[in-house]
Every structure is written in C-alpha cells, then in structure tokens.
C-alpha cells in the first residue's frame, strides 16, 4: 500500500526503439560476440515500408490524433501539447521485436522490453512504464515494425490503450506545477543475463550485467508539455475513473472504515469511503455459527507529501459479539480481484 519511491516499471510486450547514434554504437559492439546457442530463424516481419517509415526509423513521433499504421500523415506530427490535448505516438523500427532480440543473441521475451519516460524538472523523472497499447499478440511482436502508443488518448479510444500506463502518466503530469516541461520517451531492450540484476529490475541500481551493458536504447522521441491548471480538470475527467456509486449508504459505517485505516500508513490519510459490497458477507465456523461479517468498500487515500489521491478497493471486518451485535470495524486487507481495484484520482472528482 505504501507508495514505492523507486523507479516505476512499465512493461511493454517487445517493441524495440533507440536513439540512432547510441543504438548504432552499441550494436557495432555486438558483431564480434557469438551467442549462437540463442539464435533462431528470424520471423518474416514488415521491414521498413514507405518514405515516412524510412525517414523516422529508430524514432518516436507524436500527434494529437491517431497515427495510422498503414498511412501515417506527417503533417499531423507535432511536439508541443497541453494537458487538454489528446496525445498519441508512433514508433518506427527497422525490424520486429522478436527479430531484434534474436539478432543480438537472445530469444525474445515480453519482459525484456520497456518504455522509459523522463520528465524534465519532475522529482521522479525516470519511469519505466507498461505497454501503452493493447497489442501483445504474436503478430505485433514478430511481424510489426511500427506501433501506436496512446499517451493521453481521446475518451472514446481510451479502452484501446493500456490503462495502467496512462494512469502512471496521469500521476506525474497532473501534479506538475504550471510551466513547460520536456518529456522524453525511450524504448529500451533490457539486456538479459543469467541470474543477474538488469537495468529494469525494480528496486535495484543499474549495473552492467553482460557484454552488452545493462540496456540498449532502441528509439527515442521528445515533446514539450505546457501545463496550465485550467486544463487539469478536463485531463482528469478524461483519464480518471469516477468514484463508483455506493451500493448502500451508511454514514456511521463509512466513518468507522476511515477510522480503521487512519494512521495505518505513514503520510497517508483516508478521506472518503464508498461502500461497494452488495451486502455483508457472513463468516461461519465449522458448526455453522456466525463468527463475523465483512464488506467491500472503495476508500480514497490522500498521499500528503505528493498532495495526490488514490482509490483502493478494501475489505472490512466486524466480529460477532452475540445477540446480533458486532464489534468495531477492522481493516481486512486490499481486495485483489475486487470490484474496482485501485487508481489515481483528481481531487475535483472526489464527491
């Protein structure tokens, strides 16, 4: 529950990108390295197709509308956005993800490729993110050489992109003070090595783990994000899930839930509880006697240092005291696989 202060990981199912100079220099070092035990026949991928693909290979471009795979419109490319804008991106690669990994001597795995976001001037400015798209099937990994990324898609297209990554970016974009920020996006190949930590390992410092180094940058792109407070509400309404509707209203029970988790995590304050369980679930012992009851609620927690809010799906418990009476409300843990999960939410949306 306590927010991790280390680099946030963003797994992408095998897209490969990198700054041309850095990638080329690193790839030259691979020529004399024999890793034939990992070599497989290459897949038949799409290759580099068309003038735009050729012009922007190993780069990431951005636009305020979707950049289509088969007919990208260069005139739509831009590198300046506000929080109110829709923000899309597309990566142009020389070869498919599986072929790149194979050609550097590694049988590809989805866990070896990451998107990295750096936000100039933001305290936590080195983020490894989840796949931005819903793609992850065999064709997108073995055949495609260009992929669309949804950084802040239009509301009607939000479900087509990875919600976890969009939520992570909301956490960092929404709380930026007014001003202009350079946002850099890299796609990296996290170099595997037997039983060793690599650059994308959560909670570990970056360290060289193979002859390749800890990573290879496959492609990069950069845009300017102009942040104005007046745009934040529209951004939040587009990206954040609203609080769920309560299944029942019981002010006394709601307050007891907040009391049950108050002070449980340092620097985190519960501010609102919404009951979302359909009813109490009664627990019985082996003789059928009711021992207690539990119920599910969405609880909004304020992270004081960051001045931000997150919704958690929690379970609460009351012990049976006999005579149809129950004891104080106790925290019973987070609901993995519950109704609503957890997500960041804007203060304006906490009703």
């Amino acid at each position: 529950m306590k927010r991790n202060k280390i680099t946030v990981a963003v797994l992408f199912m095998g897209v490969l990108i990198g700054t041309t100079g850095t990638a080329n220099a690193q790839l030259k070092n691979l020529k004399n390295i024999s890793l034939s035990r990992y070599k497989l026949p290459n897949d038949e991928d799409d290759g580099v197709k068309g003038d735009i693909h050729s012009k922007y290979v190993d780069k990431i471009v951005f636009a305020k509308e979707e950049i289509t795979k088969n007919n990208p419109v260069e005139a739509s490319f831009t590198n300046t956005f506000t929080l109110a804008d829709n923000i899309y991106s597309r990566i142009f690669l020389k070869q498919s993800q599986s072929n790149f990994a194979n050609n550097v001597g590694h049988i590809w795995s989805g866990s070896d490729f990451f998107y990295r976001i750096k936000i100039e001037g933001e305290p936590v400015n080195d983020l490894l993110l989840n796949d931005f798209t819903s793609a992850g099937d065999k064709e997108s990994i073995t055949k495609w050489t260009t992929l669309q990324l949804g950084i802040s898609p239009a509301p009607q297209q939000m479900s087509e992109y990875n919600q976890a990554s969009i939520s992570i970016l909301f956490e960092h974009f929404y709380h930026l003070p007014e001003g202009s920020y350079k946002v850099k996006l890299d796609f990296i190949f996290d170099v595997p090595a037997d039983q060793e930590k690599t650059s994308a390992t959560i909670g570990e410092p970056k360290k060289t783990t193979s002859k390749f180094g800890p990573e290879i940058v496959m492609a990069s792109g950069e845009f300017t994000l102009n942040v104005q407070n007046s745009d934040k509400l529209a951004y939040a309404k587009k990206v954040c899930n609203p609080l769920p509707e309560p299944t029942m209203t019981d002010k006394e029970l709601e307050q007891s839930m907040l009391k049950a988790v108050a002070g449980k995590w340092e620097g985190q304050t519960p501010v609102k509880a919404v009951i979302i369980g359909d009813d109490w679930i009664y627990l019985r012992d082996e003789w059928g006697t009711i021992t207690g009851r539990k119920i599910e609620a969405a609880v909004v927690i304020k992270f004081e240092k960051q001045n931000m809010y997150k919704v958690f799906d929690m379970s609460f418990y009351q012990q049976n005291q006999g005579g149809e009476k129950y004891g104080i409300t106790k925290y019973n843990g987070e609901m993995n696989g519950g109704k609503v999960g957890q997500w960041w939410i804007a203060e304006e949306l906490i009703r």
Side-chain angles (χ1 to χ4, degrees):
M1 168 64 148
K2 188 171 180 65
R3 186 168 173 244
N4 204 326
K5 296 181 179 179
I6 61 173
T7 302
V8 183
V10 179
L11 167 65
F12 178 67
M13 293 292 295
V15 184
L16 315 159
I17 29 188
T19 48
T20 303
T22 302
N24 287 344
Q26 291 170 316
L27 291 174
K28 286 179 182 177
N29 294 330
L30 306 181
K31 291 183 178 179
N32 297 322
I33 299 173
S34 176
L35 290 173
S36 59
R37 66 192 176 107
Y38 292 128
K39 186 71 174 176
L40 293 174
N42 275 356
D43 296 305
E44 184 176 349
D45 66 24
D46 290 335
V48 177
K49 290 187 176 181
D51 293 340
I52 292 178
H53 193 152
S54 179
K55 180 177 179 179
Y56 291 98
V57 73
D58 293 341
K59 291 180 171 57
I60 308 173
V61 299
F62 305 92
K64 297 179 182 179
E65 59 189 45
E66 284 193 321
I67 306 169
T68 62
K69 179 175 181 285
N70 296 321
N71 188 30
V73 179
E74 187 176 18
S76 71
F77 298 174
T78 183
N79 58 7
T80 303
F81 300 90
T82 71
L83 286 179
D85 290 328
N86 299 325
I87 307 176
Y88 298 91
S89 185
R90 182 164 284 279
I91 302 169
F92 294 99
L93 309 171
K94 290 188 181 75
Q95 54 191 324
S96 70
Q97 305 162 67
S98 61
N99 283 347
F100 174 83
N102 189 42
N103 288 336
V104 299
H106 175 64
I107 299 175
W108 64 267
S109 166
S111 62
D112 297 329
F113 300 96
F114 293 80
Y115 287 111
R116 179 170 57 209
I117 296 285
K118 289 190 175 184
I119 307 169
E120 178 185 61
E122 211 272 352
V124 183
N125 64 357
D126 191 354
L127 311 171
L128 292 172
L129 305 179
N130 286 317
D131 175 12
F132 285 90
T133 74
S134 57
D137 55 22
K138 183 177 180 180
E139 181 178 354
S140 68
I141 296 170
T142 61
K143 183 175 177 61
W144 294 359
T145 54
T146 175
L147 292 100
Q148 171 103 301
L149 314 179
I151 295 174
S152 180
Q156 64 271 22
Q157 295 171 321
M158 193 70 65
S159 62
E160 300 174 23
Y161 296 90
N162 186 284
Q163 299 297 299
S165 296
I166 293 169
S167 179
I168 290 171
L169 290 178
F170 167 78
E171 171 191 350
H172 293 275
F173 288 169
Y174 179 83
H175 295 90
L176 290 171
E178 287 192 329
S180 294
Y181 299 86
K182 294 292 185 183
V183 180
K184 185 180 181 184
L185 175 62
D186 294 324
F187 191 83
I188 68 169
F189 173 61
D190 183 56
V191 176
D194 295 341
Q195 307 302 317
E196 294 287 347
K197 303 297 183 184
T198 57
S199 68
T201 302
I202 303 295
E204 296 289 338
K206 293 184 178 181
K207 59 180 73 173
T208 299
T209 58
S210 74
K211 295 178 182 179
F212 306 125
E215 69 180 41
I216 298 173
V217 179
M218 302 307 303
S220 293
E222 186 176 271
F223 65 88
T224 297
L225 182 67
N226 294 317
V227 176
Q228 295 182 347
N229 291 335
S230 57
D231 292 330
K232 289 186 175 181
L233 180 57
Y235 177 45
K237 286 182 175 179
K238 179 175 71 169
V239 173
C240 296
N241 293 324
L243 279 178
E245 293 296 325
T247 53
M248 69 174 76
T249 301
D250 185 329
K251 296 298 183 184
E252 184 177 347
L253 176 58
E254 293 161 11
Q255 288 302 310
S256 72
M257 291 172 169
L258 298 181
K259 185 177 180 180
V261 293
K264 193 169 184 63
W265 302 281
E266 182 180 356
Q268 300 178 23
T269 305
V271 297
K272 188 178 182 67
V274 179
I275 301 169
I276 57 176
D278 295 328
D279 202 348
W280 287 100
I281 297 174
Y282 290 88
L283 308 176
R284 300 175 185 269
D285 62 18
E286 57 188 298
W287 297 281
T289 303
I290 295 175
T291 58
R293 61 184 185 178
K294 62 182 181 180
I295 197 166
E296 187 176 355
V299 180
V300 181
I301 302 290
K302 181 179 182 181
F303 289 69
E304 299 292 349
K305 184 178 179 180
Q306 296 84 3
N307 191 30
M308 57 197 297
Y309 298 82
K310 195 170 190 177
V311 181
F312 290 88
D313 196 333
M314 297 181 179
S315 173
F316 293 90
Y317 172 80
Q318 293 178 346
Q319 185 174 356
N320 186 9
Q321 295 184 325
E324 297 186 353
K325 293 183 179 180
Y326 291 85
I328 62 173
T329 303
K330 296 181 179 180
Y331 172 69
N332 194 47
E334 284 190 58
M335 295 288 291
N336 295 323
K339 284 191 172 184
V340 297
Q342 59 176 265
W343 70 92
W344 296 107
I345 190 169
E347 183 176 6
E348 297 92 332
L349 302 182
I350 303 171
R351 303 183 299 275

